[in-house]
């Protein structure tokens, strides 16, 4: 079988086993991919949405050099070792810096990988894929268990992922990213922007919760929010205009207004309770536990039923 016919089975293995996404954003893998002065048989990329102070995407690369038979394996391994040394020694790292990590593999048809090849690849941190050719249409791919070294690279800076224009420009600097991800603007709008907005909303929510400085009142607030989340997980909790709002399908069900010494629970346009601690509520006879079970949960459930 011609060597090129083995590329797709290897690429499908990367999608299936390494998580390289083939979706509306990514092609999953490229064949005969150019990186700097090197051309690689198969390049798979897995993208990862990372939620930190600046939400961003990380890109993890999987490079596989393929041979159609067992001849020329020394040359194949030599090329992979040279690439690995060049990345780690920073002589060629700039060509790979669209990626955050890289793993390197060799793949070729064989019934059994020779001990010498296993030892070299184990020592050098190069993965091995054994290919079994069944017929012209069927090739099985097996990982023989040699763990490739995970090589860390700088990746696209977090600063470049703060705006759609900068993100697209950074992606387009690298030919292999430009080919793999045809619409980077969609990735920003769908994957980065929502998580940034969600993260910022969570920060504001934490700020509002932290506004209550009285220890007993703070404990009561944390307990109330935790219990409502536990009993009604479908209800979203967010910040809105200085309030902690409990929202379902865009409709505010109730809100909490914090002060430094206590907080208020407001049920729509009706009841309002001032809570000083788990056992001290102005406007209600009982504890926060009782208020949740006898007033808040029935009130929210009633609102949900009326929708």
């Amino acid at each position: 079988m011609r060597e090129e016919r083995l590329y797709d089975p290897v690429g499908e293995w990367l999608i299936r086993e390494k998580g390289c996404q083939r979706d509306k954003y990514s092609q999953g893998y490229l064949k005969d991919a150019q990186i700097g002065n090197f051309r690689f048989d198969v390049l798979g990329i897995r993208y990862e949405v990372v939620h930190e102070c600046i939400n961003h995407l990380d890109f993890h690369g999987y490079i596989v050099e393929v041979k159609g038979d067992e001849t020329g394996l020394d040359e194949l391994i030599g090329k992979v070792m040279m690439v690995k040394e060049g990345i780690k020694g920073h002589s060629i790292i700039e060509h790979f810096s669209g990626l955050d990590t890289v793993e390197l593999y060799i793949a070729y048809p064989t019934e059994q990988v020779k001990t010498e090849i296993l030892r070299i690849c184990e020592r050098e941190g190069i993965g091995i894929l054994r290919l079994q050719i069944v017929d012209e249409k069927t090739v099985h791919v097996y990982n023989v268990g040699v763990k490739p070294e995970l090589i860390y690279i700088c990746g696209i800076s977090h600063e470049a992922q703060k705006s759609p224009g900068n993100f697209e420009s950074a992606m387009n600097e690298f030919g292999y990213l430009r080919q793999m991800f045809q619409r980077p603007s969609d990735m920003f709008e769908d994957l980065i922007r929502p998580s940034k907005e969600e993260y910022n909303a969570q920060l504001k929510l934490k700020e509002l919760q932290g506004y209550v400085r009285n220890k007993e009142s703070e404990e009561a607030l944390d307990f109330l929010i935790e219990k409502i989340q536990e009993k009604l997980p479908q209800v979203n909790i967010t910040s809105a205009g200085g309030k902690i709002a409990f929202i379902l399908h865009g409709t505010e069900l109730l809100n909490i207004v914090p002060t430094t010494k206590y907080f208020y629970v407001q049920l729509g346009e009706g009841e309002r309770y001032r809570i000083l601690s788990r056992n001290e509520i102005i406007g209600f006879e009982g504890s926060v536990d009782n208020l949740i079970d006898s007033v808040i949960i029935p009130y929210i459930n009633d609102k949900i039923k009326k929708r």
Side-chain angles (χ1 to χ4, degrees):
M1 180 180 286
R2 291 172 53 227
E3 180 182 300
E4 292 79 4
R5 298 285 297 276
L6 301 173
Y7 294 172
D8 280 321
V10 169
E12 294 298 327
W13 182 87
L14 291 174
I15 289 173
R16 186 173 63 252
E17 300 296 333
K18 305 306 292 187
C20 299
Q21 299 94 331
R22 181 164 55 199
D23 54 23
K24 66 177 182 177
Y25 311 113
S26 173
Q27 295 177 210
Y29 66 90
L30 299 174
K31 297 180 288 185
D32 202 24
Q34 185 80 32
I35 301 181
N37 295 324
F38 295 94
R39 190 171 289 276
F40 298 105
D41 297 329
V42 184
L43 166 66
I45 297 181
R46 174 176 61 88
Y47 65 82
E48 176 186 12
V49 185
V50 181
H51 302 283
E52 292 180 349
C53 55
I54 299 176
N55 293 285
H56 61 276
L57 291 172
D58 281 353
F59 297 96
H60 306 286
Y62 305 89
I63 292 172
V64 187
E65 282 293 274
V66 181
K67 290 292 287 185
D69 53 45
E70 296 189 60
T71 61
L73 283 181
D74 290 342
E75 181 182 347
L76 187 73
I77 294 172
K79 175 184 175 180
V80 175
M81 289 172 56
M82 180 175 64
V83 170
K84 179 185 170 187
E85 291 168 4
I87 297 173
K88 296 184 71 173
H90 292 254
S91 62
I92 59 171
I93 194 170
E94 69 274 9
H95 302 299
F96 293 81
S97 57
L99 304 171
D100 291 87
T101 65
V102 172
E103 291 182 8
L104 300 168
Y105 293 81
I106 61 169
Y108 64 98
T110 185
E111 290 187 359
Q112 185 177 39
V113 177
K114 293 179 180 178
T115 302
E116 180 184 0
I117 300 298
L118 283 170
R119 287 175 178 169
I120 293 173
C121 290
E122 285 174 344
R123 185 182 69 238
E124 299 297 333
I126 299 169
I128 304 175
L129 303 180
R130 183 178 74 83
L131 308 182
Q132 179 189 12
I133 300 174
V134 178
D135 53 42
E136 284 297 314
K137 295 182 178 179
T138 307
V139 177
H140 297 313
V141 181
Y142 300 97
N143 186 346
V144 303
V146 177
K147 188 175 181 180
E149 180 179 348
L150 185 63
I151 306 170
Y152 290 92
I153 310 174
C154 57
I156 295 176
S157 73
H158 300 175
E159 188 70 25
Q161 301 192 45
K162 283 185 174 181
S163 69
N166 287 341
F167 177 68
E168 186 162 4
S169 295
M171 293 280 282
N172 287 336
E173 285 183 16
F174 302 94
Y176 52 92
L177 292 184
R178 191 165 59 245
Q179 293 177 54
M180 185 77 75
F181 304 99
Q182 293 289 306
R183 303 180 70 180
S185 58
D186 286 356
M187 296 189 78
F188 184 91
E189 295 299 332
D190 295 348
L191 303 177
I192 298 177
R193 191 189 296 280
S195 54
K196 287 170 72 72
E197 292 173 352
E198 180 183 344
Y199 180 81
N200 290 334
Q202 289 299 315
L203 276 183
K204 291 179 181 177
L205 181 60
K206 289 292 184 183
E207 288 175 6
L208 283 173
Q209 287 181 249
Y211 190 68
V212 180
R213 304 297 172 82
N214 179 277
K215 184 177 180 181
E216 291 184 341
S217 183
E218 180 185 5
E219 290 175 351
L221 176 59
D222 292 342
F223 175 79
L224 186 147
I225 291 174
E226 180 182 334
K227 284 300 177 184
I228 294 177
Q229 286 179 314
E230 179 183 309
K231 293 177 181 291
L232 297 168
Q234 71 270 40
V235 175
N236 295 319
I237 303 177
T238 188
S239 61
K243 301 179 297 182
I244 299 171
F246 294 73
I247 296 173
L248 183 66
H249 303 312
T251 301
E252 183 178 301
L253 303 174
L254 64 90
N255 65 68
I256 294 172
V257 180
T259 74
T260 56
K261 294 183 179 180
Y262 47 80
F263 62 93
Y264 292 98
V265 173
Q266 178 77 46
L267 305 181
E269 299 297 327
E271 296 91 339
R272 192 184 200 202
Y273 306 97
R274 185 167 70 176
I275 300 178
L276 290 82
S277 71
R278 280 184 62 173
N279 296 306
E280 189 176 0
I281 304 174
I282 296 176
F284 179 78
E285 293 288 336
S287 66
V288 170
D289 307 59
N290 303 137
L291 182 70
I292 293 170
D293 292 334
S294 63
V295 177
I296 293 177
I297 298 300
Y299 174 82
I300 294 178
N301 280 329
D302 184 59
K303 288 286 186 181
I304 293 172
K305 288 176 183 177
K306 290 179 179 178
R307 286 190 54 80

